[in-house]
Amino acid sequence: AQKVTQAQTEISVVEKEDVTLDCVYETRDTTYYLFWYKQPPSGELVFLIRRNSFDEQNEISGRYSWNFQKSTSSFNFTITASQVVDSAVYFCALRGPSGSARQLTFGSGTQLTVLP
Amino acid sequence: DVKVTQSSRYLVKRTGEKVFLECVQDMDHENMFWYRQDPGLGLRLIYFSYDVKMKEKGDIPEGYSVSREKKERFSLILESASTNQTSMYLCASSFRGSEQYFGPGTRLTVT
């Protein structure tokens, strides 16, 4: 069975602070995929990143960076110099390799509030 | 850009009514999904489809059915709406095993 845990239910920071959103996953698959999605107040989930289990290289995209560590089964997301527009619910998700395992298992989400 | 559209942003129905939620994607994706989102529970998969006329149950299919007659359209049906089906419903599509793209969601209230 697959499981994704986002232990931080809510985080509040002041603009320009750095913030890290934690994601811990459980899976028996040797090949799997990890995702982060952003859900702004408008409601639509926006895809941010996909990571394969065989690629542990960290990734940076502008103010966003992701730290994937298989040894600790974590895929953490850091926003540098946060902005008010970053306020949203962020979801981490996990998917298996094929067949019915292609469905996503989502964490319960972290509500990030960036205060001006 | 991938475009996933849902027929309504807000919907109010009465208990016992039959409810249709429509989802259309314009990127020729094979896979389509229906989720419901409730506070504290995250997203839970109701049904998904890998191809036209094919469907598979997700984690919470009870009280729902689906229809996929055309590749671009995936409908969620509440046969007899109940108050515990008040929720946000999200449709998504994906190409094979790639990331899923989501629609704007339908907030359904059953009174």
Side-chain angles (χ1 to χ4, degrees):
Chain A
Q2 298 183 328
K3 185 178 180 181
V4 176
T5 302
Q6 294 180 255
Q8 305 151 308
T9 306
E10 296 181 22
I11 299 177
S12 184
V13 299
V14 177
E15 204 169 20
K16 298 184 183 176
E17 287 184 3
D18 299 347
V19 58
T20 295
L21 309 183
D22 297 332
C23 174
V24 175
Y25 62 91
E26 296 175 28
T27 181
R28 292 182 182 152
D29 294 318
T30 53
T31 299
Y32 52 89
Y33 302 85
L34 294 161
F35 304 80
W36 274 96
Y37 284 86
K38 173 183 180 179
Q39 187 178 38
S42 61
E44 183 170 343
L45 268 79
V46 177
F47 165 72
L48 296 177
I49 190 172
R50 177 181 70 173
R51 213 77 187 123
N52 305 324
S53 55
F54 43 85
D55 181 3
E56 286 194 70
Q57 189 172 6
N58 292 331
E59 182 153 341
I60 297 174
S61 176
R63 295 184 298 107
Y64 294 171
S65 62
W66 290 269
N67 184 342
F68 176 30
Q69 292 194 348
K70 285 179 79 170
S71 60
T72 56
S73 297
S74 65
F75 186 43
N76 297 337
F77 174 29
T78 297
I79 302 175
T80 303
S82 60
Q83 299 176 0
V84 172
V85 294
D86 295 327
S87 296
V89 181
Y90 291 86
F91 290 96
C92 181
L94 168 69
R95 182 177 69 75
S98 63
S100 61
R102 277 181 279 176
Q103 59 180 289
L104 287 174
T105 299
F106 283 87
S108 55
T110 297
Q111 170 73 61
L112 173 65
T113 301
V114 181
L115 302 169
Chain B
D1 279 353
V2 176
K3 188 77 171 177
V4 180
T5 57
Q6 296 182 227
S7 50
S8 305
R9 289 302 302 269
Y10 300 93
L11 207 54
V12 179
K13 295 292 182 180
R14 295 197 173 183
T15 301
E17 278 193 79
K18 191 169 185 176
V19 181
F20 293 86
L21 302 182
E22 304 286 340
C23 175
V24 177
Q25 50 94 4
D26 67 357
M27 285 302 292
D28 204 34
H29 285 170
E30 295 96 340
N31 306 322
M32 296 189 75
F33 307 82
W34 274 107
Y35 296 88
R36 63 176 284 176
Q37 182 180 13
D38 301 287
L41 297 177
L43 278 79
R44 293 179 292 168
L45 182 65
I46 304 171
Y47 267 98
F48 57 106
S49 169
Y50 291 138
D51 202 350
V52 175
K53 298 191 185 295
M54 294 186 68
K55 59 185 179 184
E56 289 197 35
K57 294 180 180 179
D59 300 320
I60 51 164
E62 295 79 19
Y64 303 94
S65 62
V66 290
S67 173
R68 193 164 181 202
E69 296 297 318
K70 293 184 178 181
K71 192 174 185 180
E72 67 271 19
R73 187 180 298 268
F74 191 35
S75 303
L76 180 69
I77 304 155
L78 286 66
E79 297 291 342
S80 177
S82 62
T83 55
N84 63 11
Q85 292 179 310
T86 291
S87 186
M88 169 73 95
Y89 290 88
L90 292 161
C91 175
S93 72
S94 72
F95 176 67
R96 295 183 183 172
S98 69
E99 58 273 12
Q100 294 180 20
Y101 291 89
F102 285 80
T106 296
R107 190 168 293 281
L108 172 67
T109 302
V110 182
T111 61

